[in-house]
Amino acid sequence: MDADPPSKPKASLSSLKTSPFARNIALTKLGFGAGSKIVAHSLMNIFRGEVEKSDANREFYRKQAQVLADELGKLKGSVMKAGQMMSLFGQYFLPEEATNVLASLQDDTPPVDWKVVGPALEQRLGRKRLAELDINEEPIAAASLGQAHRARRKSDGLELVVKIQYPGVADSIDSDIRTLSRILAMSRLAPKEIDLEPTFSEVREMLKREVDYRAEAAFTEEFGRRLADDPRFVVPQVLRDYSSDLVLTTTFEAGVSVRDETVKKLSQARRNRLGGAFFDVFLKEFFGWGLVQSDPNFGNYRFRLGSDKSGADDQIVLLDFGATREFERSFIDAYADVVAGASLHDRVRTLKGAVDIGMMQANFPDQVQNAFAEMCELITEPFNTPDDPTTPPELLTANGDYRWGQSRLPMRVANIAARNALSRYFRVPPREIAFLHRRLAGVFIMLATLDAELKTRAPLFKALGIDDEAI
């Protein structure tokens, strides 16, 4: 849950449509509205030239998606979260204009009034237990499934964060997903030839995980145990006495956003140190533990800056483990082949790993396989040796460190991925890939935002178990 303060206050919602019936009516009206606009748009296209028609189509997709995003934001709950997830999967089959608009749901959500969430909190914790806390009724963060409030335990002054799930969210998931799938079909944003049922099944499964606060509490504690001996990281402690199936209370852990001016003004060495730690924790999660917090939202990571000017006591605070995914070792090993193959320019190994995890088929044409391998080699560009001729020289320092802030790597990769997604060979990838790549992209963007200059080949190869003399 993003804890960054919004750029300007958003009006809180004084009520929520929580019953499946009320939500279905709202969504069905949206669907019929979309259908009528499609008819009008199609008729107007008859009288347009090709260039004008293309421009009109792009604007139509943008407006359709904007209406959808606006309504989902008002409904909150699982249907809004599903809209966010569709922006993740949608990069493989939705028009770019639609994906961009749906992505805005990630960080533009109004909070819900205390008169709605307060009673829900009391019902779950009980009046006596709730009386032990002083809770600020103004949320510090609001998302699709719930919102978070600062609190203080009266007995000892312990600073806390209370995360409250919106009433009715869990009960409406199945109904919301069914209705949203129909709306997407009616809006014609998705190509008819793509079967979206597997995508919606994955979204449904992920939503049910994210509303399970007991599981999130367990994941938070698990990450805390695994990182307890690494002073670079801080994980909040769960307070079970003030938690339930719909409420999660943890210690408040201070820190600033990567966007904060104090972070931007840090020395290059300190930003490199933070970037290296951020990269290391991803390697631990995926290759080491098979347990990945898959939500890369910047609000889920805070920097606690120490007093040592070298950055030796700087820490990264890890927040919100509701989107944690577990990966099978067979998947991790196959994905490791893709990464290792691309880093070593061993296309046989790259393609073998891709086939093993279902990203492509062995009978794809040679040109398709080569295009895929080239894309993988671009993604792993930061892991090249300093003398690799495929790395643009302006992206390396005199010491051979990779300049993440100047690489524009996510954009360069996204452009290639978008072109491949239009072909009949690359459609919606295996579900594990979408969420893993969401987090991996978040790692790359974080390092770019820190403007880090790092050699990351050695820690990657260590995680892969590769003894490379060229490190």
Side-chain angles (χ1 to χ4, degrees):
M1 183 179 294
D2 193 339
D4 286 339
S7 56
K8 61 179 180 178
K10 301 182 182 66
S12 62
L13 300 176
S14 59
S15 64
L16 285 173
K17 293 184 176 72
T18 58
S19 75
F21 180 73
R23 296 170 71 81
N24 276 338
I25 289 178
L27 289 169
T28 300
K29 287 172 62 178
L30 176 61
F32 281 126
S36 63
K37 290 182 177 65
I38 289 167
V39 173
H41 175 72
S42 299
L43 289 174
M44 290 297 295
N45 263 354
I46 296 175
F47 305 99
R48 294 184 175 118
E50 287 305 312
V51 174
E52 186 184 4
K53 186 184 297 184
S54 177
D55 291 341
N57 282 341
R58 284 196 294 271
E59 180 62 15
F60 174 74
Y61 290 139
R62 188 195 64 78
K63 288 182 177 179
Q64 285 284 80
Q66 187 64 62
V67 171
L68 181 61
D70 289 345
E71 292 304 313
L72 296 186
K74 294 175 185 176
L75 285 172
K76 287 279 192 178
S78 59
V79 73
M80 180 182 170
K81 187 70 175 182
Q84 294 177 359
M85 291 183 179
M86 288 309 297
S87 73
L88 167 65
F89 285 104
Q91 62 185 300
Y92 300 100
F93 55 80
L94 291 178
E96 180 182 0
E97 294 78 11
T99 303
N100 291 341
V101 171
L102 289 176
S104 71
L105 283 167
Q106 303 284 352
D107 54 14
D108 190 24
T109 62
V112 174
D113 196 278
W114 180 256
K115 71 179 183 181
V116 177
V117 297
L121 177 61
E122 181 176 323
Q123 181 182 12
R124 291 297 168 180
L125 295 188
R127 184 172 299 179
K128 182 178 179 180
R129 185 65 78 183
L130 193 58
E132 298 174 9
L133 306 177
D134 274 329
I135 301 180
N136 189 332
E137 296 182 3
E138 291 296 320
I140 58 171
S144 53
L145 303 178
Q147 59 193 45
H149 293 254
R150 287 285 302 271
R152 182 182 62 85
R153 188 163 62 185
K154 296 176 182 177
S155 63
D156 59 2
L158 182 64
E159 296 291 328
L160 307 172
V161 174
V162 182
K163 181 176 173 181
I164 310 167
Q165 189 175 124
Y166 295 133
V169 164
D171 296 334
S172 63
I173 289 176
D174 289 335
S175 176
D176 280 355
I177 294 299
R178 284 195 300 269
T179 306
L180 184 59
S181 65
R182 292 196 295 268
I183 289 175
L184 200 60
M186 293 176 72
S187 67
R188 294 190 186 176
L189 289 174
K192 293 180 180 179
E193 66 271 17
I194 294 181
D195 179 12
L196 293 182
E197 182 53 37
T199 298
F200 278 110
S201 293
E202 170 65 10
V203 170
R204 183 185 297 108
E205 178 186 338
M206 198 64 192
L207 283 170
K208 291 187 176 182
R209 292 181 185 179
E210 290 205 32
V211 298
D212 186 350
Y213 280 10
R214 295 193 192 281
E216 181 177 346
F219 281 130
T220 304
E221 291 170 335
E222 180 66 21
F223 271 72
R225 282 192 294 270
R226 290 178 182 269
L227 293 170
D229 296 328
D230 193 330
R232 298 176 299 172
F233 305 104
V234 176
V235 178
Q237 298 178 30
V238 175
L239 280 81
R240 293 281 184 171
D241 287 347
Y242 305 105
S243 301
S244 73
D245 55 340
L246 300 181
V247 179
L248 178 60
T249 299
T250 64
T251 53
F252 171 76
E253 301 296 343
V256 297
S257 168
V258 65
R259 300 186 183 98
D260 194 271
E261 284 299 318
T262 57
V263 176
K264 295 178 181 178
K265 292 178 180 178
L266 292 176
S267 66
Q268 184 68 58
R270 287 182 76 172
R271 285 183 283 111
N272 289 349
R273 188 182 180 92
L274 288 169
F278 197 81
F279 184 68
D280 282 350
V281 78
F282 170 74
L283 296 179
K284 289 176 183 287
E285 289 178 40
F286 181 61
F287 294 109
W289 310 336
L291 194 66
V292 177
Q293 194 288 87
S294 66
D295 186 351
N297 193 314
F298 276 178
N300 293 335
Y301 306 95
R302 318 294 284 180
F303 295 127
R304 182 178 295 176
L305 305 179
S307 57
D308 191 325
K309 291 187 177 181
S310 72
D313 55 350
D314 290 345
Q315 295 177 303
I316 301 176
V317 180
L318 307 178
L319 304 171
D320 199 336
F321 297 90
T324 300
R325 291 192 63 91
E326 299 177 83
F327 291 87
E328 297 289 339
R329 181 51 56 181
S330 58
F331 176 87
I332 297 170
D333 290 343
Y335 194 85
D337 277 336
V338 176
V339 176
S343 301
L344 295 168
H345 300 292
D346 180 349
R347 292 195 171 180
V348 172
R349 187 171 182 177
T350 299
L351 297 173
K352 177 185 180 300
V355 170
D356 288 345
I357 59 177
M359 288 192 72
M360 64 188 312
Q361 298 175 21
N363 62 354
F364 278 5
D366 289 346
Q367 66 268 26
V368 175
Q369 296 191 35
N370 286 332
F372 175 82
E374 287 174 10
M375 185 175 67
C376 291
E377 288 167 6
L378 176 58
I379 294 172
T380 58
E381 177 183 272
F383 316 132
N384 288 345
T385 56
D387 59 351
D388 192 309
T390 66
T391 305
E394 65 272 16
L395 297 184
L396 297 176
T397 68
N399 295 325
D401 296 329
Y402 188 77
R403 300 180 189 271
W404 288 86
Q406 299 178 31
S407 70
R408 297 176 60 251
L409 191 57
M411 185 179 300
R412 289 157 62 200
V413 172
N415 289 337
I416 296 177
R419 289 198 296 271
N420 285 338
L422 297 177
S423 78
R424 63 189 179 92
Y425 297 101
F426 292 97
R427 292 297 188 181
V428 183
R431 61 186 189 175
E432 296 91 349
I433 292 293
F435 287 96
L436 176 62
H437 282 184
R438 176 171 70 159
R439 172 62 188 283
L440 185 58
V443 173
F444 282 28
I445 293 169
M446 177 65 82
L447 296 185
T449 304
L450 285 168
D451 200 16
E453 296 177 354
L454 292 171
K455 293 185 181 76
T456 48
R457 185 179 178 91
L460 172 67
F461 278 30
K462 182 179 179 181
L464 293 174
I466 297 175
D467 181 16
D468 180 24
E469 295 180 356
I471 292 176

